[in-house]
Amino acid sequence: MSSIEDKIKGVANQVVGKVKEEVGHITNDKELEGEGVAQNLKGKVQKATGDAKDAVKSGIDKL
């Protein structure tokens, strides 16, 4: 997966996760809220992976 794909999927997972988290909080659905927290975290990791791939590529390009 390319760094751009990682970043896009990461941001998408963060948004969906945050929505699930908020809906779960509002409806007092702890399971949905927990799923949202987990998905949001997954998105942050995906985005960080994309950022790391860019940094590595940038470093290699400078060689």
Side-chain angles (χ1 to χ4, degrees):
M1 190 178 313
S2 76
S3 63
I4 292 173
E5 289 173 338
D6 285 328
K7 289 178 184 183
I8 291 170
K9 287 184 179 186
V11 170
N13 272 318
Q14 284 179 296
V15 170
V16 172
K18 192 64 179 170
V19 169
K20 283 183 179 180
E21 185 179 349
E22 291 300 319
V23 170
H25 180 74
I26 290 168
T27 62
N28 203 29
D29 184 341
K30 297 299 178 189
E31 185 176 336
L32 184 60
E33 188 175 356
E35 285 177 22
V37 169
Q39 190 166 1
N40 189 3
L41 185 59
K42 177 183 175 183
K44 288 180 181 182
V45 170
Q46 283 175 313
K47 186 174 177 311
T49 300
D51 291 340
K53 285 180 181 179
D54 280 346
V56 169
K57 184 179 182 314
S58 177
I60 291 172
D61 288 346
K62 289 181 181 180
L63 293 176

